[in-house]
Amino acid sequence: MKKHNFSAGPCILPKSVMLKASEAVLNYDEGLSLIEISHRSKPFVDIMERARSLALELLGLEGKGYKALFLQGGASTQFLMVALNLLEKRAGYLNTGTWSTKAIKEAKIYDDIYEVASSESGGFNYIPKGYEISEEYDYFHCTSNNTIYGTQMKSFPSTNIPMVCDMSSDIFSRTLDFTQFDLIYAGAQKNMGPAGTTLVVVKEDILGKVSRKIPSMMDYKIHINKSSMFNTPPVFPVYVSMLTLQWLKDLGGIKAIEKENEKKASLIYSEIDLNPLFKGYAVKEDRSNMNATFTLENENLKETFDAMWKEAGINGLNGHRSVGGYRASMYNALSLDSVKALVEVMSELERKA
């Protein structure tokens, strides 16, 4: 029985994507597996170009001066790479959780970083508001969605300086004006594909303005000039990401999946709010549509609840160790039926209690 996969990542992927990817591992190009063909061969070059093109198309950034790259090292490498390529004197960072904290730590290696606002005092259960962004910063960095705490930025500040956003856990999940961002990065394993590749979408005209020498592997311009093929790319993760992006396009794009994501979020949060046995972790106005975090009001029910959701075929519901409780990650490929299954278990616990 296929389980209801609420894992925070690596994430659930569409069944059709999994089937096609598994077939490609056995035979993709005239008796050769996808993972044994040359990355310089035309079949894989076509895959890479298609993946990059689909990313820009879905984000509405085609023909607007942006380039899409599929790189390695995860979002954690981007914490460093962003600073290497953009930080000359000082940058502003919004601290909304673990990942932005780590991004700040890496950037500080190279120059002065100013924390424009932080929600740490509230256990990162909200998104700061009303902060100011100096136009003297080289760039402003934020994290759109926080998997651990279940918060999500519902709007983004207006600024005349480059805006960088870590969208690892909600990329392609909701409609936004993506032209407001000058650089977006996202690890594939949350909403695109398996771990091993990272999507970077960057506006070319923000590059080449720092005085430092940048190592070749960390230089966005080199990766752009080499069409994201400067070194051997992660062939399988790029292919699966391409399939997932095509699946999303065939569904009707981001606008279509956003409607489904809103239904899923509305259903789970309604149960959390109406069921007296549960309490949401994030403040209501900043709740994430990707990651619903909640706790039991009575910890004596934990053993019973855990047994019930596991019996129902639910997987990956435990909260992050730093927060505890539970976390239902509802990425694009998770069905509404899976959320209904979880809500039914929560309702059944109330009836039994």
Side-chain angles (χ1 to χ4, degrees):
M1 181 182 72
K2 176 65 175 175
K3 292 188 176 182
H4 302 287
N5 188 1
F6 287 90
S7 173
C11 67
I12 183 173
L13 292 171
K15 183 178 180 180
S16 60
V17 168
M18 297 284 277
L19 290 172
K20 195 163 187 178
S22 63
E23 291 169 0
V25 169
L26 294 175
N27 182 17
Y28 183 76
D29 181 39
E30 299 181 354
L32 292 174
S33 165
L34 171 75
I35 57 177
E36 63 183 6
I37 63 173
S38 168
H39 68 284
R40 300 294 181 189
S41 65
K42 186 177 186 303
F44 183 72
V45 171
D46 289 346
I47 289 169
M48 177 64 84
E49 289 306 305
R50 181 60 178 161
R52 295 172 64 208
S53 175
L54 279 167
L56 294 178
E57 179 185 350
L58 288 166
L59 296 173
L61 295 177
E62 285 182 306
K64 296 180 180 179
Y66 291 82
K67 296 293 185 182
L69 302 168
F70 282 90
L71 306 178
Q72 298 173 62
S76 295
T77 296
Q78 292 309 308
F79 300 158
L80 185 65
M81 206 164 171
V82 165
L84 273 169
N85 284 265
L86 303 183
L87 182 57
E88 182 70 12
K89 294 181 179 179
R90 197 180 198 196
Y93 277 66
L94 180 65
N95 190 357
T96 53
T98 297
W99 306 116
S100 53
T101 299
K102 291 185 176 184
I104 291 169
K105 177 185 176 183
E106 297 302 311
K108 280 183 176 178
I109 295 173
Y110 292 98
D111 231 311
D112 190 14
I113 299 300
Y114 182 73
E115 196 174 274
V116 299
S118 173
S119 54
E120 185 173 10
S121 62
F124 294 119
N125 71 336
Y126 70 97
I127 301 293
K129 316 288 191 308
Y131 50 87
E132 294 184 1
I133 302 173
S134 171
E135 294 196 3
E136 294 182 359
Y137 297 150
D138 296 318
Y139 62 90
F140 167 71
H141 180 285
C142 58
T143 304
S144 59
N145 186 77
N146 299 280
T147 53
I148 292 175
Y149 307 98
T151 62
Q152 186 176 42
M153 294 180 72
K154 303 303 181 181
S155 62
F156 296 84
S158 177
T159 177
N160 293 320
I161 64 171
M163 181 154 59
V164 177
C165 190
D166 177 357
M167 292 190 181
S168 290
S169 52
D170 66 349
I171 188 76
F172 301 116
S173 70
R174 56 175 171 160
T175 55
L176 292 170
D177 175 10
F178 291 98
T179 62
Q180 67 188 303
F181 306 101
D182 297 88
L183 193 153
I184 297 166
Y185 62 90
Q189 69 273 14
K190 299 293 187 182
N191 232 359
M192 275 190 293
T197 192
T198 303
L199 173 66
V200 175
V201 178
V202 58
K203 198 169 188 179
E204 273 195 280
D205 64 12
I206 70 169
L207 301 176
K209 297 180 180 180
V210 296
S211 58
R212 73 171 57 86
K213 290 183 178 180
I214 306 173
S216 297
M217 271 297 291
M218 305 296 284
D219 192 332
Y220 290 129
K221 292 183 72 175
I222 286 178
H223 287 289
I224 289 171
N225 291 338
K226 296 295 184 179
S227 300
S228 210
M229 303 274 277
F230 173 64
N231 67 319
T232 305
V235 173
F236 186 70
V238 171
Y239 177 66
V240 180
S241 294
M242 183 270 288
L243 293 179
T244 305
L245 294 176
Q246 184 63 56
W247 167 83
L248 180 57
K249 180 182 177 180
D250 294 343
L251 282 181
I254 294 177
K255 186 175 291 187
I257 204 67
E258 180 181 40
K259 292 179 181 178
E260 294 304 307
N261 289 334
E262 288 176 346
K263 291 177 185 176
K264 291 182 289 186
S266 177
L267 183 60
I268 186 68
Y269 285 124
S270 176
E271 180 64 22
I272 289 170
D273 291 339
L274 293 175
N275 191 325
L277 301 182
F278 297 96
K279 181 180 180 180
Y281 181 79
V283 300
K284 290 184 179 182
E285 64 183 18
D286 296 327
R287 283 173 165 174
S288 167
N289 280 7
M290 294 285 97
N291 312 96
T293 52
F294 57 97
T295 57
L296 274 167
E297 291 282 49
N298 182 355
E299 280 298 311
N300 291 330
L301 294 173
K302 177 174 173 54
E303 185 175 341
T304 300
F305 181 54
D306 289 352
M308 289 173 64
W309 59 261
K310 290 174 183 177
E311 178 65 23
I314 291 170
N315 177 70
L317 198 63
N318 285 321
H320 190 271
R321 59 186 176 276
S322 62
V323 176
Y326 301 93
R327 171 175 53 178
S329 296
M330 303 172 290
Y331 298 121
N332 284 354
L334 185 79
S335 71
L336 184 62
D337 285 341
S338 288
V339 181
K340 288 178 179 177
L342 173 56
V343 167
E344 176 56 33
V345 171
M346 297 167 73
S347 297
E348 179 63 20
L349 182 67
E350 182 184 8
R351 289 191 290 269
K352 286 184 175 182

